[in-house]
Amino acid sequence: AFVENIPEIYILSLLFFSPHFLYLLISVSVLTMDPIPGLSKLTVSSSKKIVLNCSDGKSFEIDEAVARKSKLIADMIESGCDGPIPLQNVTGKTLEKVIEYCKRHVVEFGPSDEDDEEAAEKLAIWDAEFIKVDEETIFHLILAANYLNIEGLLSLTCKTVADYIKDKTPEEVRQIFGIENDYTPEEEEAVRKENVWAFDPNQ
Amino acid sequence: MKRSVRSRRKKTIENNLTRSKNREESDENENDPFSRITVDLKKEILMKLPAKSVAKLAFVSKTWASIIRSKEFTDLYMTRSSTRPRLLFKVHRHGDHFYHSCSQEDPSRDHQRVKITQIRNPIKSYDFSPPSGGLVCCLSDSSKVLLVGNPSTGQFVPLPKVRTRRLGIVAFFGYDHVSDVYKVLCMTVKNVKKQDRLLVVSEEHQVYTLGAEKKAWRLINCQHPHLPPFHTNGLCINGVLFYYAWTRNKGSLMSFDLRSEEFSVIKLPENVRLLQDFCSLVNYGGKIALSTRLYEGTLDLCVLEDASKQEWSKVSVVVPCGSDLSGRYMFWFRGALSTGELIFASYSPMELFYLLSYDPKEDIAEKVVIEGIGDQFSDVRVYHDHVDSPLFLSNES
């Protein structure tokens, strides 16, 4: 790829030698709306777009690299799927959020060793803000991440739910998830007596 | 049923999850997403909880209990837990007993604490075994009651009464990962006058297997007359229980194989003068070792290299720790972590509790402060390589 891009490098090197050429270049940039003509080819390895169709009719066009964050989609691309990919189990609203995650987590140039820890910290902060949504959206994201097979998003969403219920009593957890208590009142009483360790609020 | 639960939901949501305005309207159109969360996804969420929380969630409903208490889930959780070993602290303060644990890799992270609610007697003293397979055993010195407990959840259950009329009981606890069983080894000692002590040996050796069909102690044979001191702690490594005992008036290392239930005597190395008061059993990188306390920066160890050949090796470690690190406290070697780090702890109450950690590769010793444990009234015991386990203990008696 570097060999193919020599003409662009050649153009850039001329900048240093000719102020007139620089003027020409700038005007060309303004006309084509491309900062330095051909420079975009140096930065983006693949600009192939993938179209995703949701269950509620919405359509999204994203870069292949972003789409590949989903192992399900990556496998489909590998097996030659070219056209729009139908995602029956995901709504537009959820997919939009999923795409936002994938875009942020796509590795563009590969992390350099020095930036690793700092970049990881920044990413963690972004993740924490990203996941500040209501619980229904989180559950939709869990289901989508599971269906689309996006490991990082599944881990993040499950951890968020886990942290939320970590210190809750069984009764509170029932209320949050709308779970029916199938212990009879007598069974419940017996269980509470035998297991003080689990119901002690000071624990 | 679902609608009334949803209106109650509104009161319990906390601030860290923001609410969407159109919640009620959007619910009309979409299925409740939680109902579509499969069992596998529920397990994914549960796997990310500390053991204490997981164990409590079994009381949400019978369905949840069946997921959480299934062997499959427990094994899955334990496999992941064992890749994240924890430091375990047993604290005794004014008759209250509790367990505190933290991440071993980074002791500032992931602190958990459980109170042992069953034991609240400031007069009686209790002996707690080191943790093995995530569980511990506890013996009350004035009664024949033995308890098995989970230091991650705080649940303790009593075992059936030991088969003896005597009061002198010594007990050891261990887990064998090959046969996946927890066993308690117990023996009794006749109470005799001091001058007759030389004639006394342990008798009535019996074993209790946790979760066995028959909930009873089984008497077993022991071919080697020996006498373990009271309050001595055993250590279980790879399914073998080791403990110190006197055989024919000489100090020896006893080993009890949890699978075969066979005893054997291992002679201590000859020219090393080790008194029981000044030596303790430690796990030195998967091998049993006898260690002295850290004295003037030097640690002396006798490591058992081969049990069958009774081969010991001597190890001497120089720890660069001056008085700035140890202060006025005496530090004892508590064990070697899989990373090679050596951990030292003091048995004296400390105002601000800390461990000494020595990395032999880097030759660096440092203080590791553990917040929230201990003060000058607390007695703290330290254990390493504890596995966080949500194991629920069913009734054994």
Side-chain angles (χ1 to χ4, degrees):
Chain A
F2 190 70
V3 175
E4 291 166 46
N5 292 325
I6 281 183
E8 283 74 23
I9 296 284
Y10 189 64
I11 292 170
L12 282 173
S13 66
L14 286 176
L15 279 171
F16 296 104
F17 298 107
S18 166
H20 298 293
F21 186 75
L22 177 63
Y23 176 73
L24 186 66
L25 208 58
I26 291 170
S27 6
V28 172
S29 302
V30 168
L31 285 172
T32 61
M33 303 298 275
D34 192 353
I36 295 171
L39 184 62
S40 57
K41 284 218 188 99
L42 288 170
T43 55
V44 177
S45 51
S46 155
S47 50
K48 186 177 168 201
K49 301 281 183 194
I50 304 282
V51 175
L52 304 173
N53 287 336
C54 308
S55 58
D56 53 1
K58 289 207 193 114
S59 234
F60 293 88
E61 192 187 59
I62 53 172
D63 285 340
E64 182 180 326
V66 174
R68 276 179 172 273
K69 287 298 285 183
S70 152
K71 285 215 180 84
L72 179 80
I73 297 177
D75 286 344
M76 281 175 148
I77 297 173
E78 293 296 316
S79 47
C81 183
D82 230 5
I85 295 179
L87 300 172
Q88 287 306 328
N89 294 345
V90 194
T91 63
K93 185 177 154 208
T94 307
L95 189 59
E96 209 177 325
K97 204 71 181 142
V98 170
I99 290 171
E100 192 189 327
Y101 177 88
C102 293
K103 275 188 179 160
R104 182 63 179 83
H105 281 253
V106 114
V107 175
E108 282 182 340
F109 302 105
S112 64
D113 283 340
E114 305 98 63
D115 299 334
D116 225 29
E117 227 185 279
E118 215 188 289
E121 244 187 81
K122 277 193 184 160
L123 200 57
I125 293 171
W126 187 91
D127 279 349
E129 276 303 312
F130 169 82
I131 210 66
K132 277 189 184 157
V133 291
D134 63 275
E135 69 184 31
E136 200 166 310
T137 309
I138 292 203
F139 285 127
H140 281 299
L141 284 172
I142 290 179
L143 292 166
N146 186 46
Y147 170 64
L148 293 167
N149 201 341
I150 305 171
E151 206 180 301
L153 183 59
L154 186 62
S155 187
L156 175 65
T157 47
C158 286
K159 183 78 171 66
T160 306
V161 175
D163 285 342
Y164 185 52
I165 63 177
K166 192 164 71 163
D167 296 316
K168 301 275 187 287
T169 63
E171 176 56 31
E172 285 170 329
V173 172
R174 270 183 224 130
Q175 289 189 337
I176 294 166
F177 294 145
I179 300 168
E180 216 177 299
N181 181 4
D182 52 4
Y183 285 108
T184 67
E186 299 84 33
E187 283 172 335
E188 175 101 29
E189 209 191 299
V191 152
R192 271 176 190 269
K193 256 195 193 160
E194 255 180 50
N195 298 284
V196 178
W197 57 273
F199 294 93
D200 188 343
N202 297 325
Q203 281 283 38
Chain B
M1 182 71 193
K2 267 191 177 168
R3 279 206 190 278
S4 63
V5 170
R6 267 192 213 132
S7 58
R8 272 191 287 154
R9 240 194 255 182
K10 277 187 179 170
K11 295 179 203 162
T12 59
I13 300 290
E14 288 188 14
N15 293 331
N16 57 344
L17 289 184
T18 59
R19 308 270 338 271
S20 73
K21 290 176 208 162
N22 309 327
R23 219 195 135 132
E24 281 305 309
E25 294 98 85
S26 62
D27 281 350
E28 315 270 1
N29 300 326
E30 291 168 324
N31 290 325
D32 185 6
F34 186 72
S35 57
R36 289 194 283 146
I37 301 273
T38 60
V39 169
D40 282 336
L41 287 175
K42 284 191 182 109
K43 282 186 189 169
E44 271 299 323
I45 296 171
L46 290 170
M47 290 290 284
K48 300 206 187 298
L49 285 164
K52 182 169 101 173
S53 307
V54 173
K56 278 197 224 179
L57 292 177
F59 299 105
V60 165
S61 74
K62 287 184 190 166
T63 324
W64 279 54
S66 67
I67 298 174
I68 291 168
R69 294 188 193 155
S70 68
K71 179 117 179 51
E72 199 198 329
F73 178 77
T74 311
D75 284 347
L76 190 65
Y77 193 97
M78 295 289 281
T79 308
R80 189 171 308 178
S81 263
S82 43
T83 62
R84 297 177 195 160
R86 296 171 73 72
L87 286 172
L88 184 69
F89 304 92
K90 165 73 190 48
V91 186
H92 177 207
R93 191 179 189 281
H94 295 320
D96 279 329
H97 293 263
F98 57 92
Y99 275 105
H100 190 111
S101 62
C102 66
S103 157
Q104 190 163 283
E105 196 195 352
D106 179 3
S108 62
R109 273 198 305 117
D110 209 6
H111 285 241
Q112 298 285 335
R113 170 182 293 211
V114 284
K115 212 163 151 192
I116 304 171
T117 47
Q118 269 115 317
I119 298 168
R120 219 184 261 126
N121 192 323
I123 299 168
K124 285 188 184 174
S125 83
Y126 298 84
D127 284 328
F128 288 83
S129 74
S132 189
L135 299 182
V136 296
C137 175
C138 166
L139 171 66
S140 153
D141 76 343
S142 59
S143 66
K144 297 178 231 175
V145 176
L146 269 168
L147 301 151
V148 168
N150 185 335
S152 298
T153 63
Q155 182 193 18
F156 272 77
V157 295
L159 298 181
K161 281 214 161 127
V162 178
R163 290 167 68 168
T164 183
R165 288 205 188 121
R166 297 177 181 159
L167 288 175
I169 294 178
V170 184
F172 305 104
F173 176 74
Y175 172 69
D176 174 45
H177 58 276
V178 171
S179 50
D180 192 22
V181 275
Y182 296 89
K183 287 187 181 171
V184 185
L185 168 67
C186 194
M187 56 201 78
T188 68
V189 179
K190 209 193 287 189
N191 212 358
V192 293
K193 297 196 193 89
K194 225 170 179 172
Q195 56 265 35
D196 295 333
R197 268 236 122 182
L198 298 169
L199 309 166
V200 167
V201 288
S202 58
E203 292 171 1
E204 297 177 315
H205 302 88
Q206 48 200 286
V207 175
Y208 188 87
T209 306
L210 226 64
E213 258 185 61
K214 202 165 170 230
K215 297 191 191 306
W217 288 92
R218 291 175 288 113
L219 286 167
I220 57 168
N221 268 324
C222 176
Q223 317 287 13
H224 309 280
H226 66 282
L227 180 68
F230 283 120
H231 310 298
T232 193
N233 266 325
L235 196 58
C236 182
I237 300 180
N238 290 331
V240 181
L241 260 177
F242 294 97
Y243 59 95
Y244 184 92
W246 291 300
T247 54
R248 296 179 224 278
N249 305 323
K250 254 175 84 174
S252 306
L253 183 68
M254 294 300 299
S255 88
F256 179 74
D257 187 309
L258 288 172
R259 248 168 294 150
S260 64
E261 296 189 356
E262 300 262 319
F263 289 89
S264 57
V265 182
I266 300 166
K267 284 194 277 230
L268 294 182
E270 279 301 318
N271 50 355
V272 179
R273 206 173 62 93
L274 290 167
L275 302 171
Q276 209 272 329
D277 303 70
F278 290 101
C279 104
S280 49
L281 289 176
V282 289
N283 184 335
Y284 187 70
K287 296 186 187 150
I288 192 82
L290 294 164
S291 90
T292 59
R293 66 178 172 91
L294 189 63
Y295 186 70
E296 288 177 353
T298 306
L299 172 71
D300 288 311
L301 295 167
C302 286
V303 184
L304 183 65
E305 300 290 346
D306 191 320
S308 48
K309 295 187 196 149
Q310 313 229 350
E311 276 172 9
W312 295 82
S313 72
K314 298 217 190 89
V315 176
S316 203
V317 183
V318 176
V319 180
C321 81
S323 51
D324 56 319
L325 282 181
S326 53
R328 55 186 172 82
Y329 304 107
M330 277 200 304
F331 279 86
W332 295 79
F333 181 44
R334 296 305 292 151
L337 308 182
S338 52
T339 53
E341 261 175 271
L342 306 181
I343 301 286
F344 300 85
S346 171
Y347 284 127
S348 327
M350 299 168 115
E351 275 190 29
L352 180 64
F353 185 79
Y354 66 92
L355 302 171
L356 282 185
S357 159
Y358 173 61
D359 187 343
K361 281 177 247 154
E362 307 280 323
D363 197 29
I364 297 175
E366 58 182 9
K367 260 189 194 178
V368 179
V369 178
I370 312 285
E371 303 261 341
I373 301 186
D375 49 23
Q376 62 268 44
F377 304 110
S378 307
D379 173 58
V380 184
R381 298 290 145 117
V382 184
Y383 306 101
H384 64 95
D385 285 305
H386 166 62
V387 182
D388 206 24
S389 163
L391 197 64
F392 176 76
L393 301 163
S394 32
N395 249 330
E396 297 285 342
S397 50

